[in-house]
Amino acid sequence: MNLTSLPIPLQTALLLVCSNVFMTFAWYGHLKNLGSSPWYVAALVSWGIALFEYLFQVPANRIGAQQLSLGQLKIMQEVITLSVFVPFAVFYMKQPPRLDFLWAGLCMMGAVYFVFRGN
């Protein structure tokens, strides 16, 4: 299946998921993997990972902007960020799951409602 055959909001969401996986590793993965390295080594490695984030994020926003407002794009990105971060924190970083993640997700769903509702 070709990505361009999917609806624009779905194309955007899929590209943002890929972007956020790279972003999460760039921002937080060094805490687990490079904890004993100097900060500038972690920064350079993170910067290299972040390049791949942008290779997905920039097309996602350009595609999404064809049908979504700037606010809708931002809320979509934030919800996807939280959706990627929670499993990363629990499974990769071995952080205990917290009920606060659920509350944060519910707040984000409220934000989605208000940004996407008809005017």
Side-chain angles (χ1 to χ4, degrees), residues 11-102:
Q11 290 178 47
T12 303
L14 291 172
L15 288 168
L16 286 175
V17 167
C18 294
S19 168
N20 274 275
V21 168
F22 285 106
M23 178 191 77
T24 302
F25 275 94
W27 282 26
Y28 304 107
H30 63 87
L31 297 173
K32 180 176 181 176
N33 301 319
L34 299 172
S36 61
S37 299
W39 71 266
Y40 53 85
V41 171
L44 289 172
V45 170
S46 294
W47 188 44
I49 295 169
L51 169 65
F52 293 97
E53 171 202 349
Y54 279 90
L55 292 175
F56 288 101
Q57 178 267 332
V58 170
N61 285 335
R62 286 179 173 230
I63 291 167
Q66 295 175 43
Q67 288 185 2
L68 302 169
S69 71
L70 189 60
Q72 289 170 330
L73 279 171
K74 182 60 179 169
I75 290 299
M76 180 184 284
Q77 187 273 328
E78 293 297 339
V79 169
I80 290 169
T81 295
L82 187 59
S83 300
V84 169
F85 178 77
V86 171
F88 172 85
V90 171
F91 297 113
Y92 186 75
M93 297 297 287
K94 307 295 186 207
Q95 298 291 307
R98 298 178 40 204
L99 197 54
D100 290 341
F101 293 155
L102 173 63

